Amino acid sequence: SVSYNKMGDLYRALGEGERAGESYGKSLSIAERLASSEPDRADYQRDLSVSYIRLGDVCREFGKDEQAREYYAKDLEIAERLAAAEPDRADYQRDLVISLLTLGRAEAPSAAEALRRAHSILVALRDSGRLDTVDAPLLTSVEKLLSERGLL
């Protein structure tokens, strides 16, 4: 699954969106099998989540916005479940922020709510000293998006 995702990333970087989508689809198929065979394995759930994001991104690039939002919503469901199961894990909170940010950028009907939630999580991580310095630009990005949309 991970190898197919990496091949998809390569095809996407080369501008071969259709081939990228095929690789991501193969990754998704494997990730779904693994995640359903062992639903308590967080790493399998996270891999499935990554596959949904990548397929959503490719769909969005091809103008298939509704299909992209469906993939993003599936990703968000997994990210929320993982973050709720282990709320003290900053990496799961960060993954949730990425999922919310992705959905927020996709101009989904719930984009404003997604961006506000992402902002709230990032602020809580920052205020508790758990926001990794590498992730600090996420807060700036979310605040910029909120500001541009008149939501901050």
Side-chain angles (χ1 to χ4, degrees), residues 101-143:
L101 186 55
T102 302
L103 193 62
R105 287 182 175 150
E107 302 292 334
S110 58
E113 178 189 339
L115 291 172
R116 285 185 179 117
R117 283 184 62 203
H119 184 260
S120 174
I121 293 167
L122 287 167
V123 168
L125 286 171
R126 181 198 63 201
D127 292 351
S128 68
R130 296 183 309 139
L131 182 64
D132 194 309
T133 54
V134 203
D135 296 329
L138 282 174
L139 182 56
T140 305
S141 294
V142 171
E143 287 177 342

Short mmCIF file of all heavy atoms in Angstrom, two decimals, residues 101-143:
data_model
loop_
_atom_site.label_atom_id
_atom_site.label_comp_id
_atom_site.label_asym_id
_atom_site.label_seq_id
_atom_site.Cartn_x
_atom_site.Cartn_y
_atom_site.Cartn_z
N LEU A 101 -8.03 20.70 7.57
CA LEU A 101 -7.49 21.71 6.66
C LEU A 101 -7.74 21.31 5.21
O LEU A 101 -8.12 22.13 4.38
CB LEU A 101 -6.00 21.89 6.92
CG LEU A 101 -5.26 23.00 6.17
CD1 LEU A 101 -5.93 24.34 6.37
CD2 LEU A 101 -3.81 23.05 6.63
N THR A 102 -7.55 20.04 4.89
CA THR A 102 -7.79 19.54 3.54
C THR A 102 -9.25 19.74 3.16
O THR A 102 -9.56 20.22 2.07
CB THR A 102 -7.41 18.04 3.44
OG1 THR A 102 -6.04 17.90 3.79
CG2 THR A 102 -7.62 17.50 2.05
N LEU A 103 -10.14 19.39 4.06
CA LEU A 103 -11.57 19.57 3.82
C LEU A 103 -11.90 21.06 3.71
O LEU A 103 -12.67 21.47 2.85
CB LEU A 103 -12.37 18.92 4.94
CG LEU A 103 -13.86 18.74 4.70
CD1 LEU A 103 -14.11 17.83 3.51
CD2 LEU A 103 -14.52 18.16 5.94
N GLY A 104 -11.28 21.87 4.55
CA GLY A 104 -11.52 23.31 4.51
C GLY A 104 -11.06 23.95 3.22
O GLY A 104 -11.70 24.85 2.70
N ARG A 105 -9.96 23.48 2.67
CA ARG A 105 -9.46 23.99 1.39
C ARG A 105 -10.29 23.52 0.21
O ARG A 105 -10.26 24.11 -0.85
CB ARG A 105 -8.01 23.57 1.19
CG ARG A 105 -7.03 24.31 2.06
CD ARG A 105 -5.63 23.86 1.77
NE ARG A 105 -4.67 24.65 2.51
CZ ARG A 105 -3.50 24.20 2.94
NH1 ARG A 105 -3.14 22.94 2.69
NH2 ARG A 105 -2.68 24.98 3.60
N ALA A 106 -11.03 22.43 0.40
CA ALA A 106 -11.81 21.85 -0.68
C ALA A 106 -13.13 22.58 -0.90
O ALA A 106 -13.94 22.16 -1.71
CB ALA A 106 -12.07 20.37 -0.40
N GLU A 107 -13.33 23.65 -0.18
CA GLU A 107 -14.55 24.45 -0.33
C GLU A 107 -15.81 23.62 -0.09
O GLU A 107 -16.82 23.81 -0.74
CB GLU A 107 -14.60 25.09 -1.73
CG GLU A 107 -13.43 25.97 -2.07
CD GLU A 107 -13.35 27.26 -1.25
OE1 GLU A 107 -14.41 27.73 -0.79
OE2 GLU A 107 -12.25 27.77 -1.08
N ALA A 108 -15.72 22.69 0.82
CA ALA A 108 -16.88 21.88 1.18
C ALA A 108 -17.88 22.76 1.93
O ALA A 108 -17.51 23.80 2.48
CB ALA A 108 -16.43 20.72 2.06
N PRO A 109 -19.13 22.33 1.97
CA PRO A 109 -20.12 23.11 2.71
C PRO A 109 -19.72 23.34 4.17
O PRO A 109 -20.06 24.34 4.76
CB PRO A 109 -21.39 22.26 2.62
CG PRO A 109 -21.20 21.44 1.40
CD PRO A 109 -19.72 21.20 1.29
N SER A 110 -18.98 22.41 4.73
CA SER A 110 -18.57 22.51 6.12
C SER A 110 -17.15 23.06 6.26
O SER A 110 -16.51 22.88 7.29
CB SER A 110 -18.67 21.13 6.78
OG SER A 110 -17.86 20.21 6.07
N ALA A 111 -16.65 23.74 5.22
CA ALA A 111 -15.27 24.23 5.22
C ALA A 111 -14.99 25.18 6.38
O ALA A 111 -13.96 25.07 7.04
CB ALA A 111 -14.94 24.90 3.89
N ALA A 112 -15.89 26.10 6.62
CA ALA A 112 -15.66 27.08 7.69
C ALA A 112 -15.55 26.39 9.04
O ALA A 112 -14.65 26.69 9.83
CB ALA A 112 -16.79 28.11 7.71
N GLU A 113 -16.44 25.45 9.29
CA GLU A 113 -16.40 24.71 10.56
C GLU A 113 -15.10 23.90 10.67
O GLU A 113 -14.47 23.85 11.72
CB GLU A 113 -17.60 23.77 10.66
CG GLU A 113 -17.60 22.93 11.93
CD GLU A 113 -18.67 21.85 11.93
OE1 GLU A 113 -19.65 21.96 11.19
OE2 GLU A 113 -18.48 20.88 12.69
N ALA A 114 -14.69 23.28 9.57
CA ALA A 114 -13.46 22.48 9.57
C ALA A 114 -12.26 23.35 9.89
O ALA A 114 -11.39 22.98 10.69
CB ALA A 114 -13.28 21.79 8.22
N LEU A 115 -12.19 24.53 9.28
CA LEU A 115 -11.06 25.43 9.53
C LEU A 115 -11.06 25.94 10.97
O LEU A 115 -10.01 26.05 11.59
CB LEU A 115 -11.09 26.60 8.55
CG LEU A 115 -10.79 26.23 7.09
CD1 LEU A 115 -11.03 27.43 6.17
CD2 LEU A 115 -9.38 25.70 6.93
N ARG A 116 -12.23 26.23 11.49
CA ARG A 116 -12.31 26.68 12.89
C ARG A 116 -11.86 25.58 13.85
O ARG A 116 -11.15 25.85 14.83
CB ARG A 116 -13.73 27.13 13.22
CG ARG A 116 -14.09 28.47 12.63
CD ARG A 116 -15.47 28.92 13.10
NE ARG A 116 -15.80 30.20 12.56
CZ ARG A 116 -16.83 30.42 11.73
NH1 ARG A 116 -17.63 29.43 11.38
NH2 ARG A 116 -17.07 31.63 11.26
N ARG A 117 -12.27 24.36 13.57
CA ARG A 117 -11.85 23.23 14.43
C ARG A 117 -10.34 23.03 14.35
O ARG A 117 -9.69 22.80 15.37
CB ARG A 117 -12.56 21.94 14.00
CG ARG A 117 -13.99 21.86 14.46
CD ARG A 117 -14.62 20.54 14.10
NE ARG A 117 -13.94 19.43 14.75
CZ ARG A 117 -13.97 18.17 14.31
NH1 ARG A 117 -14.64 17.85 13.22
NH2 ARG A 117 -13.33 17.22 14.95
N ALA A 118 -9.79 23.11 13.13
CA ALA A 118 -8.34 22.96 12.96
C ALA A 118 -7.61 24.03 13.76
O ALA A 118 -6.62 23.75 14.45
CB ALA A 118 -7.96 23.05 11.48
N HIS A 119 -8.10 25.25 13.70
CA HIS A 119 -7.49 26.36 14.43
C HIS A 119 -7.54 26.10 15.94
O HIS A 119 -6.53 26.28 16.64
CB HIS A 119 -8.20 27.67 14.08
CG HIS A 119 -7.58 28.86 14.72
ND1 HIS A 119 -8.11 29.44 15.85
CD2 HIS A 119 -6.46 29.57 14.40
CE1 HIS A 119 -7.35 30.46 16.19
NE2 HIS A 119 -6.34 30.57 15.33
N SER A 120 -8.68 25.66 16.41
CA SER A 120 -8.84 25.39 17.84
C SER A 120 -7.87 24.31 18.31
O SER A 120 -7.25 24.45 19.38
CB SER A 120 -10.29 24.96 18.09
OG SER A 120 -10.46 24.58 19.42
N ILE A 121 -7.72 23.25 17.55
CA ILE A 121 -6.80 22.17 17.92
C ILE A 121 -5.37 22.67 17.94
O ILE A 121 -4.60 22.40 18.87
CB ILE A 121 -6.95 20.97 16.96
CG1 ILE A 121 -8.33 20.32 17.13
CG2 ILE A 121 -5.83 19.94 17.18
CD1 ILE A 121 -8.70 19.36 16.03
N LEU A 122 -4.98 23.43 16.91
CA LEU A 122 -3.61 23.95 16.84
C LEU A 122 -3.30 24.90 17.99
O LEU A 122 -2.22 24.84 18.57
CB LEU A 122 -3.37 24.63 15.49
CG LEU A 122 -3.25 23.69 14.30
CD1 LEU A 122 -3.33 24.48 12.99
CD2 LEU A 122 -1.96 22.90 14.37
N VAL A 123 -4.25 25.74 18.32
CA VAL A 123 -4.05 26.67 19.44
C VAL A 123 -3.90 25.89 20.74
O VAL A 123 -3.02 26.20 21.55
CB VAL A 123 -5.21 27.70 19.52
CG1 VAL A 123 -5.19 28.47 20.83
CG2 VAL A 123 -5.14 28.66 18.34
N ALA A 124 -4.73 24.86 20.93
CA ALA A 124 -4.62 24.05 22.14
C ALA A 124 -3.27 23.34 22.20
O ALA A 124 -2.65 23.28 23.27
CB ALA A 124 -5.77 23.03 22.19
N LEU A 125 -2.81 22.82 21.07
CA LEU A 125 -1.49 22.18 21.05
C LEU A 125 -0.39 23.18 21.36
O LEU A 125 0.52 22.91 22.14
CB LEU A 125 -1.23 21.52 19.68
CG LEU A 125 -2.00 20.24 19.38
CD1 LEU A 125 -1.80 19.83 17.91
CD2 LEU A 125 -1.57 19.12 20.30
N ARG A 126 -0.49 24.36 20.76
CA ARG A 126 0.51 25.40 21.01
C ARG A 126 0.51 25.81 22.47
O ARG A 126 1.56 25.87 23.12
CB ARG A 126 0.24 26.63 20.14
CG ARG A 126 1.28 27.75 20.33
CD ARG A 126 0.80 29.08 19.83
NE ARG A 126 -0.38 29.50 20.61
CZ ARG A 126 -1.25 30.39 20.16
NH1 ARG A 126 -1.12 30.95 18.99
NH2 ARG A 126 -2.28 30.73 20.93
N ASP A 127 -0.67 26.06 23.02
CA ASP A 127 -0.77 26.53 24.40
C ASP A 127 -0.32 25.48 25.42
O ASP A 127 0.13 25.83 26.51
CB ASP A 127 -2.20 26.98 24.70
CG ASP A 127 -2.59 28.24 23.93
OD1 ASP A 127 -1.69 28.87 23.30
OD2 ASP A 127 -3.79 28.59 23.94
N SER A 128 -0.42 24.21 25.05
CA SER A 128 0.03 23.15 25.96
C SER A 128 1.48 22.75 25.71
O SER A 128 1.99 21.84 26.36
CB SER A 128 -0.87 21.92 25.82
OG SER A 128 -0.69 21.32 24.55
N GLY A 129 2.13 23.44 24.75
CA GLY A 129 3.53 23.15 24.45
C GLY A 129 3.73 21.87 23.65
O GLY A 129 4.84 21.36 23.57
N ARG A 130 2.66 21.38 23.03
CA ARG A 130 2.77 20.12 22.27
C ARG A 130 2.77 20.33 20.76
O ARG A 130 2.78 19.37 20.01
CB ARG A 130 1.63 19.17 22.65
CG ARG A 130 1.70 18.75 24.11
CD ARG A 130 0.63 17.76 24.51
NE ARG A 130 -0.71 18.20 24.13
CZ ARG A 130 -1.65 17.41 23.63
NH1 ARG A 130 -1.42 16.14 23.45
NH2 ARG A 130 -2.84 17.89 23.32
N LEU A 131 2.79 21.59 20.31
CA LEU A 131 2.84 21.86 18.88
C LEU A 131 4.30 21.82 18.44
O LEU A 131 5.10 22.66 18.85
CB LEU A 131 2.22 23.22 18.55
CG LEU A 131 2.17 23.59 17.07
CD1 LEU A 131 1.26 22.62 16.30
CD2 LEU A 131 1.68 25.02 16.89
N ASP A 132 4.63 20.83 17.64
CA ASP A 132 5.99 20.67 17.14
C ASP A 132 6.36 21.91 16.32
O ASP A 132 5.52 22.45 15.59
CB ASP A 132 6.07 19.41 16.28
CG ASP A 132 7.49 18.98 16.00
OD1 ASP A 132 8.29 19.83 15.56
OD2 ASP A 132 7.80 17.79 16.21
N THR A 133 7.60 22.34 16.42
CA THR A 133 8.03 23.53 15.68
C THR A 133 7.85 23.35 14.18
O THR A 133 7.60 24.32 13.48
CB THR A 133 9.51 23.87 16.00
OG1 THR A 133 10.32 22.73 15.74
CG2 THR A 133 9.68 24.32 17.43
N VAL A 134 7.96 22.13 13.69
CA VAL A 134 7.76 21.87 12.26
C VAL A 134 6.31 22.11 11.86
O VAL A 134 6.02 22.45 10.71
CB VAL A 134 8.12 20.41 11.89
CG1 VAL A 134 8.48 20.27 10.44
CG2 VAL A 134 9.19 19.84 12.75
N ASP A 135 5.40 21.96 12.81
CA ASP A 135 3.98 22.12 12.54
C ASP A 135 3.47 23.53 12.81
O ASP A 135 2.32 23.84 12.50
CB ASP A 135 3.16 21.12 13.36
CG ASP A 135 3.45 19.69 12.97
OD1 ASP A 135 3.76 19.45 11.78
OD2 ASP A 135 3.36 18.81 13.84
N ALA A 136 4.31 24.39 13.35
CA ALA A 136 3.89 25.76 13.65
C ALA A 136 3.36 26.50 12.42
O ALA A 136 2.38 27.25 12.54
CB ALA A 136 5.04 26.53 14.30
N PRO A 137 3.94 26.30 11.23
CA PRO A 137 3.38 26.99 10.05
C PRO A 137 1.94 26.59 9.73
O PRO A 137 1.22 27.34 9.06
CB PRO A 137 4.32 26.56 8.91
CG PRO A 137 5.61 26.24 9.58
CD PRO A 137 5.21 25.65 10.90
N LEU A 138 1.49 25.44 10.21
CA LEU A 138 0.10 25.05 10.02
C LEU A 138 -0.84 26.07 10.64
O LEU A 138 -1.87 26.42 10.07
CB LEU A 138 -0.17 23.67 10.62
CG LEU A 138 0.27 22.46 9.84
CD1 LEU A 138 0.05 21.19 10.67
CD2 LEU A 138 -0.47 22.35 8.54
N LEU A 139 -0.48 26.52 11.83
CA LEU A 139 -1.31 27.51 12.52
C LEU A 139 -1.40 28.78 11.69
O LEU A 139 -2.48 29.34 11.50
CB LEU A 139 -0.77 27.79 13.92
CG LEU A 139 -1.57 28.78 14.77
CD1 LEU A 139 -3.02 28.34 14.94
CD2 LEU A 139 -0.90 28.94 16.14
N THR A 140 -0.28 29.23 11.16
CA THR A 140 -0.26 30.42 10.31
C THR A 140 -1.13 30.20 9.06
O THR A 140 -1.89 31.09 8.68
CB THR A 140 1.19 30.76 9.89
OG1 THR A 140 1.98 30.88 11.07
CG2 THR A 140 1.25 32.03 9.09
N SER A 141 -1.03 29.03 8.45
CA SER A 141 -1.83 28.73 7.25
C SER A 141 -3.33 28.76 7.55
O SER A 141 -4.11 29.32 6.79
CB SER A 141 -1.46 27.36 6.69
OG SER A 141 -0.16 27.35 6.22
N VAL A 142 -3.70 28.14 8.66
CA VAL A 142 -5.11 28.10 9.02
C VAL A 142 -5.61 29.51 9.33
O VAL A 142 -6.70 29.90 8.89
CB VAL A 142 -5.35 27.14 10.21
CG1 VAL A 142 -6.77 27.26 10.73
CG2 VAL A 142 -5.06 25.70 9.79
N GLU A 143 -4.82 30.27 10.06
CA GLU A 143 -5.24 31.64 10.38
C GLU A 143 -5.36 32.48 9.11
O GLU A 143 -6.28 33.30 8.99
CB GLU A 143 -4.26 32.27 11.37
CG GLU A 143 -4.42 31.69 12.76
CD GLU A 143 -3.43 32.21 13.78
OE1 GLU A 143 -2.38 32.78 13.37
OE2 GLU A 143 -3.69 32.04 14.99
#
